[in-house]
Each structure stands twice: as C-alpha cells, then as structure tokens.
C-alpha cells in the first residue's frame, strides 16, 4: 500500500497542497521560465507575417504593394469570406503593371476556420525589382520621343514607359528610334536591333507599358569611343576640302568623290558586318555598303549645315540606300555608291524622273519629298575628284 494511503485521506490532501505550493515557489524563483497562456483561437501558420484583409479593395491594394516592392510571398488573413481571391488576381493581371511584372499570381488556402481564410499568395516575377521601379510615366508623344532619342544616343539598352494607349503603338515608337538614327549620323554609331513589348498584350484600357530592349553589339564605353572616332574622321575629311570650292554644289561633288575613292564598297553577302551599313564603317574603317556611304554623306553634309536625308528603297529590285539633299528649297537625289558607275550627271543632283525611268530606282514616294530641282551637274573637273 502506498504512503499516501497509509496517511489517510485528509493527511494526504494536506500533503498534496504543500507540495503544489512548493512547486509554485520554485517557478516564481526561476527567472528564465516563460509560461504561455492557452489560446482559444488556433494560431496562424505565420503569426508574425499575416496581413489582415477586411474587403476586396484591401486585398487588391495589398497585392499592388507586393508587386511594387517585388515581394514574392505574402500571407493574408481575410475576414470577409465572400471575397473571390482569383477574381481580384485576374483584375490585377489585366492592369499594365500587373501584366508587366508577372504572368501569374498563385493563391493557396492554408486554413478556413473561425470566420476567416488564411491565404498565401506567390508571385513569380518576370521582371526585376530595378525594372519595376524604373518605369517612366509619360503623358504625351513628345516626352516618349525625348526618352527614346536619349536612350539611342547614349547607348542605353533598356527602357520601360507607362503611357496612354493611343501613344503605345509599336510602329510609331520604333519609328522614332529609326528616324533619329538616320537623321543624326554623327551622334549614333549604329542602329541596334530593337525589341519592343507592350503590356498588357491586348486590352481596351487607357494605359499600357511599352518596354524597349536595344542590342547594339557594343558596350556604352565602346560606343562612346567609336562616336568620337567617327566625328574626328568626318571633321578631318571636311578640313581636307579645298578652300576654292565656293558653291554648295561643288562641295557636295568633292565630298562624294572623296568618299567614293576612299571607301571599299561591299555587297550584302554573308558573313555580314553591321558596321558596313554605318557612317563609322565608311569613314573610320573604310569599308561600307550603299547604306554606310549614305550615312557617311549624311554626316558630312550635317557638318556643312546642308539639309539632307537618307532614302531607303530599291535598285533594280534589290534593297539600296542613297541620299536626298535640299539646296535652295529644291531636293535632289545623290547616290555616292554609284558615282564611278554612272558618273556625276546621273549619280549627283538627280530628279525623280531620271531616278525612276533611267536609273531603275524605286522608293515609297509618300515618305520623301519630291525631287524636281532645276540644277544639273554636267561634269567634274579633275581637281574635284578625278573625273
């Protein structure tokens, strides 16, 4: 028989009370012991992280906060069990920033009890935190053009802009980059490959995000050095021009002849070097195709203060590039690449009619002014270029 039974019921009860009192004294004297009270409500899976959500608007704002701050996982305690979480997610993904940042948002219900839902959201981002934070907000075409032109001039490779839907047109935006390149031959070394994406890809909203990625093939430091070399070569050729060339016509003829004599012309055959199509290829490397010669001529005319443009068309059904130059409010065609072949009378200061019906050129006349100037160049003295 146990000792408690031998003492009898009353004595045993007294002994038990004394024992428990001693235990309490022991607990109170233990400074590192923490007693956690019993919780009637089950604790959250992540009690330190969950966000209380009372309605659909709060859930949407919480998801936007995750996206804007590049938070991949969030835990929410939703007290309104009528909220359809997937509907809120779909609404976010149809907005420009949601479509830009991620392709999906995955919800997982962790618990459903005591009148609330515990939901975990996971966002697999397709853009970096820097890309999301770097989105530029623009409101008009002029602002978009300025950002794109600076991007191209500085050799930057990435830009994202949020803009009104009527501006977010791929043809217009990529055209801004191409037009700037062909009209600023001394500032941009080469036209990069352009990749443009719009977010959301389709929809009728009033805002979209346009993303641009440019692939130059050279880093910014190299491009800066190449631009300096290009400008030096162009200025050097202008300085070589004889001082007795008084008229604009004579200066253009001399420059065309100098380019034609100094540059080795190449055809579009593989393997192709993109620099063949640039003013850098013509003026610095001394090797260029028709587009490179046209860009070089553009750069030289720019230094002389003569208005000109680059024409992209066809010669006998094959892609070809040349210049239009404006003199005394008239336009003329100039094709440096065919100066030796055709001679100055048919390669320089040529009107549309001769280009179309005698020289076998073609181009989109809606993109360029009509060339119908009265001047004709009959011959080139030997001292101007050897003709």
């Amino acid at each position: 028989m146990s000792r408690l039974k031998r003492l009898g019921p009353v004595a045993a009860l007294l002994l038990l009370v004394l024992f428990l009192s001693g235990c309490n004294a022991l607990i109170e004297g233990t400074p590192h012991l923490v007693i956690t009270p019993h919780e009637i409500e089950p604790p959250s899976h992540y009690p330190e992280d969950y966000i209380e959500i009372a309605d659909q608007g709060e859930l949407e704002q919480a998801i936007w906060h995750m996206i804007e701050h590049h938070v991949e996982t969030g835990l929410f305690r939703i007290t309104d069990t009528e909220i359809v979480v997937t509907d809120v997610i779909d609404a976010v993904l149809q907005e420009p920033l949601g479509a830009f940042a991620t392709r999906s948002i995955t919800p997982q219900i962790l618990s459903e009890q005591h009148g609330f839902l515990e939901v975990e959201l996971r966002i697999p981002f397709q853009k970096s935190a820097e890309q999301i934070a770097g989105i530029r907000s623009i409101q008009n075409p002029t602002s978009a053009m300025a950002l794109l032109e600076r991007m191209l001039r500085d050799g930057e490779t990435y830009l994202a802009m949020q803009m009104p839907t009527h501006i977010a047109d791929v043809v217009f935006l990529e055209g801004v980059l191409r037009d700037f390149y062909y009209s600023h031959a001394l500032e941009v070394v080469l036209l990069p490959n352009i990749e443009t994406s719009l977010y959301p890809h389709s929809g009728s909203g009033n805002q979209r995000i346009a993303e641009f990625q440019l692939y130059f093939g050279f880093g910014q430091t190299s491009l800066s050095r190449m631009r300096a070399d290009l400008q030096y070569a162009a200025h050097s050729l202008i300085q070589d021009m004889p001082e007795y060339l008084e008229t604009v016509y004579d200066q253009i003829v001399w420059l065309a002849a100098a380019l034609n004599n100094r540059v080795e012309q190449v055809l579009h055959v593989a393997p192709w070097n993109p620099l063949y199509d640039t003013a850098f290829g013509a003026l610095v490397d001394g090797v260029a195709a028709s587009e490179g010669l046209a860009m070089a001529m553009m750069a030289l005319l720019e230094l002389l203060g003569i208005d000109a443009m680059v024409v992209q068309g066809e010669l006998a059904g094959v892609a070809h590039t040349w210049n239009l130059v404006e003199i005394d409010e008239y336009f003329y065609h100039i094709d440096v690449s065919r100066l030796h072949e055709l001679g100055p009378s048919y390669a320089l200061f040529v009107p549309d009619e001769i280009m179309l019906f005698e020289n076998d050129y073609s181009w989109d006349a809606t993109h360029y002014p009509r060339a119908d100037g009265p001047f004709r160049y009959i011959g080139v003295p030997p001292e101007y270029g050897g003709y």
Side-chain angles (χ1 to χ4, degrees):
M1 180 177 295
S2 70
R3 184 175 300 175
L4 286 177
K5 286 184 179 181
R6 288 199 302 266
L7 290 174
V10 176
L13 180 59
L14 291 172
L15 182 59
L16 180 59
V17 170
L18 291 173
F19 174 76
L20 291 176
S21 299
C23 287
N24 286 336
L26 179 60
I27 291 174
E28 292 175 357
T30 307
H32 300 292
L33 182 61
V34 178
I35 300 176
T36 303
H38 173 68
E39 295 187 8
I40 297 176
E41 185 178 291
S44 168
H45 288 76
Y46 304 95
E48 71 279 7
D49 293 332
Y50 75 82
I51 299 172
E52 291 280 357
I53 299 295
D55 55 45
Q56 181 169 315
E58 287 188 1
L59 178 58
E60 185 172 338
Q61 289 302 315
I63 295 175
W64 284 126
H65 181 86
M66 290 180 65
I67 291 174
E68 291 168 0
H69 294 83
H70 211 267
V71 177
E72 296 181 350
T73 303
L75 184 69
F76 304 96
R77 177 180 289 176
I78 303 174
T79 57
D80 181 359
T81 56
E82 298 299 319
I83 294 176
V84 181
V85 176
T86 54
D87 288 350
V88 178
I89 291 173
D90 289 343
V92 168
L93 293 178
Q94 291 173 14
E95 293 294 323
L97 180 58
F100 173 80
T102 181
R103 291 187 178 91
S104 63
I105 299 174
T106 305
Q108 180 181 0
I109 296 178
L110 300 179
S111 66
E112 184 175 356
Q113 53 192 338
H114 299 281
F116 63 84
L117 293 176
E118 282 192 344
V119 179
E120 182 185 65
L121 296 184
R122 291 187 177 273
I123 302 180
F125 285 95
Q126 63 182 355
K127 303 300 177 184
S128 68
E130 291 76 14
Q131 288 172 326
I132 293 173
I135 297 173
R136 304 294 297 271
S137 178
I138 65 102
Q139 299 301 323
N140 54 68
T142 302
S143 299
M145 292 171 66
L147 287 174
L148 289 169
E149 290 169 358
R150 187 180 69 183
M151 179 189 190
L152 187 61
R153 182 175 55 248
D154 295 345
E156 298 173 358
T157 58
Y158 186 84
L159 174 65
M161 297 185 289
Q162 182 160 331
M163 62 185 67
T165 299
H166 70 275
I167 302 175
D169 177 83
V170 172
V171 174
F172 164 69
L173 296 171
E174 291 188 354
V176 170
L177 291 168
R178 292 191 174 93
D179 289 347
F180 188 80
Y181 168 73
Y182 285 111
S183 60
H184 294 77
L186 282 173
E187 292 188 50
V188 186
V189 175
L190 77 163
L191 181 65
N193 292 325
I194 305 169
E195 184 177 307
T196 307
S197 301
L198 297 179
Y199 302 91
H201 301 298
S202 61
S204 57
N206 59 7
Q207 290 279 313
R208 300 183 84 177
I209 291 177
E211 178 187 49
F212 300 87
Q213 298 185 74
L214 305 186
Y215 302 93
F216 291 92
F218 300 90
Q220 284 184 289
T221 300
S222 296
L223 290 172
S224 179
R225 183 175 63 250
M226 293 167 71
R227 179 169 59 245
D229 291 344
L230 167 62
Q231 293 173 353
Y232 176 81
H235 280 90
S236 296
L237 186 54
I238 293 294
Q239 290 175 355
D240 290 342
M241 183 185 299
E243 295 182 358
Y244 57 78
L245 302 177
E246 296 181 354
T247 70
V248 170
Y249 300 101
D250 289 342
Q251 292 173 347
I252 290 176
V253 171
W254 187 90
L255 288 175
L259 274 178
N260 195 272
N261 290 331
R262 298 183 187 194
V263 178
E264 176 187 354
Q265 293 192 46
V266 293
L267 300 176
H268 282 267
V269 293
W272 187 250
N273 185 342
L275 292 178
Y276 293 163
D277 285 330
T278 67
F280 181 92
L283 292 171
V284 180
D285 291 341
V287 182
S290 66
E291 183 168 321
L293 284 166
M295 290 299 292
M297 196 66 181
M298 188 76 186
L300 296 169
L301 294 173
E302 183 180 341
L303 288 178
L304 290 177
I306 300 172
D307 291 332
M309 61 184 65
V310 175
V311 181
Q312 292 179 305
E314 292 184 347
L315 172 61
V318 178
H320 194 74
T321 308
W322 64 97
N323 297 100
L324 267 173
V325 61
E326 183 179 8
I327 304 174
D328 297 331
E329 299 184 354
Y330 289 102
F331 285 90
Y332 301 91
H333 294 275
I334 293 176
D335 189 352
V336 178
S337 71
R338 301 194 72 199
L339 185 57
H340 276 308
E341 179 183 353
L342 297 177
S345 298
Y346 283 88
L348 307 177
F349 312 110
V350 184
D352 287 345
E353 288 74 12
I354 293 179
M355 293 289 284
L356 288 167
F357 302 115
E358 297 187 38
N359 291 357
D360 201 16
Y361 286 78
S362 61
W363 63 93
D364 187 346
T366 63
H367 290 172
Y368 305 98
R370 178 173 175 76
D372 56 0
F375 180 79
R376 297 292 180 273
Y377 204 92
I378 305 304
V380 182
E383 62 267 30
Y384 285 12
Y387 289 93

